[in-house]
Amino acid sequence: MRKYGGMVLLLCLVLANMGYSQGEHNNKTAHETAFHHHSIGVLLSHSLISQGISNGDRGWLGVPSWAINYNYRFNENWSLGLHSDIIIEVFVVEGRGNSVEALVREYPFSTVIAGTYKPTGKLGFVLGAGAEWERQESFAMVRLGLDYGLHLRELKLEVLFGVNYDILIEAYDTYNIGIGIAKLF
């Protein structure tokens, strides 16, 4: 038995390695189904603007908006994405700084390059920069936000809840609150 012991041990190691390799492949497949690098989401949002003007009075405006977000996840914690929002209403805001005239905003569209850090699997902190585009005047902007996602792993979907604070440089500020769904792939 001692004579064949080395060969049996070698054969066991080879078979175990083959099984390990197969198990590693299966684990990788299981891991791939749990972790997806890409996501594209659509959110129905409400944008709240504190510098709004309605009937000549300054106050809070609530206007409907849509968001489409694409994210690429580098790992479980970090992602980088392109977040686009459109406010689907015409509204008037008070000018900021030296501008005393009101700004009429017609269906402004914003795009932001946003980085997200998720310390947990569900809660994410968002920081980004971009611009809000509108045919009369466009503004640079900075975004701070929180995202919360509930994974539906079997369907490769994520239910999203988002709160963003958009600072439009030399213009107005917007709070966005939204709910939506993202496809993971």
Side-chain angles (χ1 to χ4, degrees), residues 82-96:
L82 178 65
H83 297 188
S84 301
D85 301 313
I86 184 167
I87 295 177
I88 53 174
E89 197 167 288
V90 177
F91 59 97
V92 179
V93 294
E94 184 179 71
R96 181 185 289 177

Side-chain angles (χ1 to χ4, degrees), residues 86-148:
I86 184 167
I87 295 177
I88 53 174
E89 197 167 288
V90 177
F91 59 97
V92 179
V93 294
E94 184 179 71
R96 181 185 289 177
N98 297 332
S99 175
V100 292
E101 64 185 60
L103 298 170
V104 177
R105 307 299 285 167
E106 295 183 23
Y107 312 105
F109 176 80
S110 64
T111 54
V112 176
I113 300 293
T116 303
Y117 172 69
K118 287 191 171 191
T120 69
K122 297 179 181 179
L123 180 66
F125 298 97
V126 179
L127 176 64
E132 181 182 86
W133 313 96
E134 197 261 344
R135 63 184 181 132
Q136 292 180 6
E137 191 169 7
S138 299
F139 298 102
M141 66 183 282
V142 175
R143 172 171 287 177
L144 304 169
L146 288 172
D147 286 342
Y148 188 82

